[in-house]
């Protein structure tokens, strides 16, 4: 049975207080995930069953989430399949805000599909989304382009 080791520092009622990182948020998250992975291994979880999730939105502000997405290759280099759950998250609503405020949750699907394709291209094993069909189509498009690049002229 797969076991997801997700980065988080506190429950939702307190997590924003824990959104403090050094200059390298990706390194901090990798180090904390590494500790959690070691705990899972000691508890008897088989290494081949472990997945890691950077925990976008959990004890993280928008700049932390963007840095983690930009550094997904470093998370992939941990050697465990990476799960990314960015679907409809608050940082997307903030990015897409207009004069009325943050983009409503039900209007964040295009941004979710964009992140999902970038995550897949960076080597993520899985993305957690709400609109599976749209995300599936977007990832297939990126995979087709990647195949064409790999195939050459």
């Amino acid at each position: 049975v797969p076991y997801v080791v997700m980065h988080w520092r506190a429950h939702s009622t307190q997590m924003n207080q824990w959104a403090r990182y050094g200059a390298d948020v990706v390194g901090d998250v990798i180090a904390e995930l590494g500790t959690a992975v070691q705990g899972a291994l000691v508890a008897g979880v088989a290494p081949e069953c472990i997945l890691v999730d950077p925990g976008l939105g959990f004890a993280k502000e928008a700049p932390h989430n963007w840095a983690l997405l930009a550094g997904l290759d470093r998370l992939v280099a941990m050697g465990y399949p990476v799960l990314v759950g960015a679907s409809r998250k608050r940082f997307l609503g903030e990015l897409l805000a207009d004069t009325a405020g943050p983009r409503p949750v039900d209007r964040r699907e295009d941004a979710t599909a964009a992140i999902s394709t970038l995550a897949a291209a960076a080597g993520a094993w899985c993305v957690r989304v709400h609109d599976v069909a749209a995300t599936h189509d977007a990832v297939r498009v990126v995979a087709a382009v990647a195949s064409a690049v790999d195939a050459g002229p």
Side-chain angles (χ1 to χ4, degrees), residues 19-46:
R20 310 257 185 283
Y21 298 89
D24 181 11
V25 64
V26 179
D28 290 350
V29 167
I30 287 171
E32 292 174 27
L33 275 172
T35 299
V37 165
Q38 285 305 312
L41 293 169
V42 167
V45 178

Side-chain angles (χ1 to χ4, degrees), residues 36-64:
V37 165
Q38 285 305 312
L41 293 169
V42 167
V45 178
E48 64 273 9
C49 293
I50 293 178
L51 312 171
V52 294
D53 179 344
L56 299 177
F58 291 87
K60 294 166 191 78
E61 299 297 333
H64 303 135

Side-chain angles (χ1 to χ4, degrees), residues 4-150:
V4 179
V5 177
M6 186 184 86
H7 181 267
W8 67 298
R9 290 179 165 175
H11 289 280
S12 62
T13 57
Q14 304 169 5
M15 69 181 175
N16 290 339
Q17 299 167 23
W18 290 86
R20 310 257 185 283
Y21 298 89
D24 181 11
V25 64
V26 179
D28 290 350
V29 167
I30 287 171
E32 292 174 27
L33 275 172
T35 299
V37 165
Q38 285 305 312
L41 293 169
V42 167
V45 178
E48 64 273 9
C49 293
I50 293 178
L51 312 171
V52 294
D53 179 344
L56 299 177
F58 291 87
K60 294 166 191 78
E61 299 297 333
H64 303 135
N65 295 321
W66 294 119
L68 285 162
L69 288 165
L72 276 178
D73 60 326
R74 292 172 60 194
L75 285 152
V76 169
M78 290 180 72
Y80 296 97
V82 176
L83 168 67
V84 175
S87 187
R88 300 181 179 175
K89 294 256 173 125
R90 177 179 48 143
F91 74 102
L92 296 177
E94 293 169 357
L95 174 72
L96 303 172
D98 58 20
T99 56
R103 173 85 50 94
V105 172
D106 64 345
R107 293 188 42 237
R108 299 177 188 172
E109 292 301 341
D110 294 337
T112 296
I115 285 178
S116 297
T117 57
L118 291 169
W125 170 79
C126 182
V127 292
R128 184 202 52 80
V129 299
H130 292 84
D131 186 345
V132 175
T135 299
H136 182 250
D137 289 351
V139 170
R140 285 180 64 195
V141 167
V142 171
V145 171
S147 286
V149 168
D150 290 343

